[in-house]
Amino acid sequence: MVSHNKRIVAALAAVAAMGIGLAGCGGSDTAGDTKSGSDGGVVNITYMHRLPDSEGMTLVNDIVAKWNKEHPNIQVKATKFDGNAADMIKKLETDVKAGNAPDLAQVGYAEVPEVFTKGLLQDVTDEAAKYKDDFASGPFALMQVDGKTYGLPQDTGPLTYFYNAAEFEKLGITVPKTADELIETAKKTAAQGKYIMTFTPDEAMMMMSGQAGASGPWYKVDGNSWVVNTQTKGSKAVADVYQQLIDNKAALTNPRWDASFDNSIQSGQLIGTVAAAWEAPLFIDSAGGTGAGEWKVTQLGDWFGNGTKTGANGGSGVAVLKGSKHPAEAMEFLDWFNTQVDDLVSQGLVVAATTADAKTPQKWSDYFSGQDVMAEFKTANDNMGDFTYMPGFSAVGAAMKQTAAKAADGSAKVSDVFDTAQKTSVDTLKNLGLSVKE
């Protein structure tokens, strides 16, 4: 589906695996055979990625060429995988078993538990500790499993709030700070044909878990077992707010990746929505020029018992794969690569690195009222809460989307989305042969 592909390209993988533990399987501390090696004192490192490499971007091979020129003793070869994340994982699994996997591979944060469970990752905790200060703490934690680190973060997708400041001013409203203010303001503007919130069922997997996860995680490990609780205080708060918005017809329920969502912006009907940071260029495209210079980005209010925290929606890191003979050199390169801020921003990334301030692309600044959008996204990065994904979360997300669609048309409640997540989570973990405490 075109809309789904647009989302994947922008997110560059889809977020989050903070400090999880798994029993009985996973990454190895021991290096095995690999294609990379040494040749006359030169260490050869291989890196597989799914970055766009589109026209006008600084190409990955050009970034790598700079490293190779400056580091003659550590030479890197980058390979672009043309396919979706699931297919890339299948290839990596085959390559690891065959002993010819790349040293480094791009992995979505939400995929970290899965590739760990499959035994594809190599523990690089000690090496990663050297570079921890180069990255925001939230994204750095997304590359950890049970307290051990398996790579470094590259990009991120904290949830923020996009709003049409000009329309807000005309209506005499400000961005709500509390749940009660949000609901009352949404009802007030809806009565005038303007909507400051959306409930997007096709984004339920990441949007609902992200908003709920700002207040606390759903998954943790106790001993050798997973503990699942998708009905946290945060989840209940999210369900309550959105149910009130839907019941009062105070939120639009168009799917995010449907033309009707774009039309709602272009018609001036939609004037506010929760959105991931990576969505900025896609939102501009959806608007088709409407509202240019009027929209702004800000942090989420304390709408779901989240305080000043926000949740994650998308993003990826780069992991060291099991069998790498040169994990130290691989991590040295990876830290350098993931801190090439300007080059990575050119690829459309909201970077996880804190070593330099990312410059807001001019097109983004023009649309968002001249705002330094990247600075706002950096603040959101720093405010990201701890949320943990589980192996097989894609199955949970698919079930959540189905229930969310029913909640949107009134045939189910928003709370049912989290009930679905609970049941599907437990069933999925058990189907994977993992222990679950209920």
Side-chain angles (χ1 to χ4, degrees), residues 329-348:
E329 290 85 353
M331 287 290 286
E332 182 182 349
F333 161 74
L334 179 55
D335 176 68
W336 178 90
F337 186 87
N338 282 2
T339 55
Q340 300 304 294
V341 174
D342 290 342
D343 291 338
L344 294 177
V345 168
S346 83
Q347 289 271 345

Side-chain angles (χ1 to χ4, degrees), residues 119-204:
L120 306 186
L121 303 183
Q122 185 157 319
D123 180 6
V124 288
T125 301
D126 291 342
E127 292 298 325
K130 301 175 184 178
Y131 310 116
K132 184 176 182 179
D133 292 342
D134 291 345
F135 303 94
S137 59
F140 184 88
L142 305 181
M143 295 305 295
Q144 294 180 323
V145 178
D146 198 19
K148 295 180 180 180
T149 310
Y150 293 90
L152 295 174
Q154 187 171 87
D155 71 302
T156 183
L159 291 172
T160 58
Y161 185 66
F162 294 4
Y163 70 105
N164 189 315
E167 288 290 336
F168 269 50
E169 185 175 355
K170 288 179 184 177
L171 293 168
I173 61 173
T174 58
V175 176
K177 295 181 180 179
T178 67
D180 288 343
E181 288 180 11
L182 176 66
I183 294 166
E184 289 307 310
T185 303
K187 289 162 63 176
K188 174 183 176 181
T189 60
Q192 301 174 68
K194 303 288 184 177
Y195 294 86
I196 66 167
M197 285 291 282
T198 59
F199 178 79
T200 49
D202 58 339
E203 276 291 301

Side-chain angles (χ1 to χ4, degrees), residues 298-329:
T298 192
Q299 306 302 307
L300 297 186
D302 183 11
W303 301 334
F304 314 113
N306 52 299
T308 60
K309 292 291 186 180
T310 190
N313 179 347
S316 61
V318 179
V320 177
L321 297 187
K322 183 178 180 180
S324 173
K325 289 183 177 179
H326 303 285
E329 290 85 353

Side-chain angles (χ1 to χ4, degrees), residues 100-129:
N100 59 4
D103 296 273
L104 299 166
Q106 181 179 336
V107 180
Y109 298 134
E111 299 153 5
V112 170
E114 179 180 350
V115 294
F116 176 82
T117 303
K118 292 177 180 292
L120 306 186
L121 303 183
Q122 185 157 319
D123 180 6
V124 288
T125 301
D126 291 342
E127 292 298 325

